[in-house]
Amino acid sequence: MRAQSSVDDDGFTLVEVIVAMLIFTIILTGFLYTMTASLTATRDTRARIVAANLASQQIDVLRSAADAFGVTTAPPFDIELNGDTFQVWVETEWVTTTGAAASCEAGLPIASLAYNHVTVKVTWDNMREGAQPVYSDTSLTPRTKINDPALGTVLVGVVNAAGTAVAGATVSLTPAGVAAVTTGSDGCAYLLKVPPGDYTVTVSKVGHVSEQQIAEPTATVPVTAGGSSRVSFAYDRATSYTVSYGSGLPAGVRIPNNLTTTFVSTYGNFQMAATTNARTKTFSLYPVSSGYSIVAGAYAETPENPATSCLAPDPGEWLPAPGKVGMRPAAVGDSAGTTVNTTASMAEVRLSGVSGSGSYLKAVYVGGGSGDPGCSAGMTYTFGNIISSDAATILLPYGTWKLYRGNSGSQNNPIMSGLTVPSSGSVAAGAVVLDPRVAP
């Protein structure tokens, strides 16, 4: 009889192995997630403790300042510690005796200043999503008494075209009696213990100009006993515009000695006169992001007062006609503190064989030309002693003009003949029509 042998085939099937590996992966993933979350929380806690120490340290530094007015809002600065980069922000706000915020922006008068509320905020790189910055606050009180029931305060704010603070601008009061101060890093200046009355506040800083093209802008503010008045200025580094007139023409072509150039922008129209006949002039203008359209002549659009209006110099104001239309010069500009090289368009007038006495020349706007939109305010430009051998070549703003010659004292002899206009325009009855319109 043959013995029967048995073979032990027990063991793990492939399915069982896969299931076991899946369970192990799930357990391992949970463990790794828990470890990562724990490490992240630990790192965040450590960073938050460091941030709190930095905020407290910055508060101590600010409290040691010699003057509460010297502590101002400032751009953030970085500090590297333990492999992390922290950003420290300082924000300040003066508070009045009524508990209201005392902004240096223009507005209604407010109560006397009481203390400077300082907030320090600290953030850091790779902050956990949803994590909040660390804050620390304090109040700084001036070491000397700043309020007097019989005196007032003037708060002055200075910002640039981008709306950010202008530091280092000198702020003074007229009539004198209160020492001039400078704006801090927040663009604010505080004139203290000012006797009641009406004052003129003046702001100045080398190379700067206001949005009204004034190098030292002013504003009138009333000061009351126990109160604080506020005023603000838009003030920025000037953009330098170098303007060429009659580009490409010979050097002998003359422009008026007293030519007015108008700069048109979203801030309005600004006329700038010059007392030189140089065909290249430089102007310092407030930086405007959209730029300026440059018009040769005393352009003025004043619908509220037609008597002061003068539209003729601007080609865009000329009335459309079949086959031609006027277009205002394209705006040009650049950022604050830069230089822009550009041109201003004018029309050429040639005098040849003109009759009359005197070598001094004058041009008077008379209007009435076809398509000429008019100039109620009038324009008169002088050229000086330029007529030689009864000939001269000049440039004038667009419009309808009559020319006169004479001596240095007066030029009253009308020039009725010998006039030509090389470019678009016409001559009739001694008047020249300088037409800027072109084909559309």
Side-chain angles (χ1 to χ4, degrees):
M1 183 174 174
R2 213 171 36 173
Q4 186 175 5
S5 64
S6 62
V7 179
D8 189 0
D9 292 330
D10 293 343
F12 293 106
T13 66
L14 179 61
V15 172
E16 291 173 325
V17 171
I18 292 174
V19 170
M21 292 178 64
L22 178 62
I23 294 173
F24 177 76
T25 301
I26 293 173
I27 295 174
L28 180 61
T29 301
F31 174 75
L32 292 176
Y33 177 81
T34 302
M35 288 294 295
T36 301
S38 176
L39 291 173
T40 300
T42 301
R43 184 179 184 280
D44 185 72
T45 300
R46 183 186 64 183
R48 186 166 294 276
I49 291 173
V50 174
N53 290 333
L54 287 175
S56 178
Q57 180 184 23
Q58 187 61 30
I59 287 291
D60 290 339
V61 171
L62 296 175
R63 291 185 65 85
S64 65
D67 182 9
F69 289 98
V71 178
T72 61
T73 299
F77 58 91
D78 293 342
I79 296 179
E80 292 189 8
L81 286 173
N82 300 327
D84 292 319
T85 300
F86 296 84
Q87 299 83 39
V88 181
W89 311 66
V90 177
E91 298 177 355
T92 65
E93 184 177 59
W94 277 89
V95 180
T96 69
T97 52
T98 62
S103 166
C104 64
E105 297 177 357
L108 296 174
I110 54 178
S112 300
L113 303 181
Y115 60 89
N116 189 1
H117 181 255
V118 181
T119 300
V120 175
K121 179 179 74 172
V122 181
T123 60
W124 55 94
D125 292 348
N126 302 317
M127 288 181 65
R128 184 167 51 88
E129 184 177 356
Q132 296 297 315
V134 172
Y135 293 91
S136 186
D137 297 84
T138 191
S139 296
L140 301 180
T141 303
R143 298 184 179 183
T144 59
K145 185 177 180 180
I146 63 173
N147 297 319
D148 186 321
L151 304 175
T153 303
V154 178
L155 282 65
V156 181
V158 184
V159 296
N160 59 23
T164 57
V166 176
T170 300
V171 180
S172 58
L173 278 184
T174 306
V178 177
V181 295
T182 57
T183 55
S185 58
D186 58 354
C188 294
Y190 305 89
L191 296 154
L192 309 175
K193 298 182 180 181
V194 182
D198 292 331
Y199 290 85
T200 298
V201 180
T202 302
V203 175
S204 63
K205 187 175 184 180
V206 174
H208 284 57
V209 68
S210 76
E211 85 285 6
Q212 296 299 312
Q213 318 304 342
I214 301 173
E216 294 187 0
T218 62
T220 301
V221 293
V223 176
T224 59
S228 297
S229 300
R230 299 182 292 173
V231 63
S232 61
F233 295 86
Y235 200 51
D236 205 342
R237 290 180 301 152
T239 301
S240 180
Y241 283 78
T242 300
V243 183
S244 297
Y245 305 82
S247 178
L249 294 177
V253 177
R254 297 287 292 271
I255 68 172
N257 298 330
N258 57 335
L259 176 67
T260 300
T261 304
T262 305
F263 295 86
V264 185
S265 74
T266 53
Y267 283 87
N269 307 332
F270 301 98
Q271 296 182 5
M272 296 190 174
T275 57
T276 172
N277 61 8
R279 281 173 44 192
T280 299
K281 306 181 191 297
T282 300
F283 303 87
S284 295
L285 301 175
Y286 187 78
V288 177
S289 59
S290 55
Y292 292 88
S293 293
I294 303 174
V295 176
Y299 170 69
E301 184 181 16
T302 56
E304 71 284 356
N305 187 4
T308 63
S309 178
C310 186
L311 306 180
D314 181 4
E317 298 284 0
W318 281 63
L319 305 178
K324 56 182 180 180
V325 66
M327 293 181 290
R328 173 176 289 177
V332 293
D334 206 337
S335 56
T338 58
T339 298
V340 176
N341 296 307
T342 186
T343 60
S345 179
M346 300 180 73
E348 183 181 356
V349 179
R350 294 176 183 172
L351 293 71
S352 179
V354 297
S355 60
S357 60
S359 57
Y360 284 76
L361 181 65
K362 177 176 71 176
V364 178
Y365 176 85
V366 294
S370 176
D372 188 337
C375 178
S376 300
M379 291 182 287
T380 298
Y381 291 123
T382 58
F383 292 84
N385 184 14
I386 69 166
I387 301 177
S388 176
S389 301
D390 292 330
T393 301
I394 64 172
L395 296 177
L396 280 170
Y398 298 112
T400 308
W401 302 84
K402 282 193 174 182
L403 302 180
Y404 300 84
R405 63 187 299 179
N407 55 37
S408 59
S410 64
Q411 302 88 46
N412 296 319
N413 301 318
I415 299 176
M416 303 300 295
S417 61
L419 303 173
T420 58
V421 180
S423 57
S424 177
S426 61
V427 180
V432 292
V433 180
L434 306 180
D435 191 341
R437 294 173 295 181
V438 295

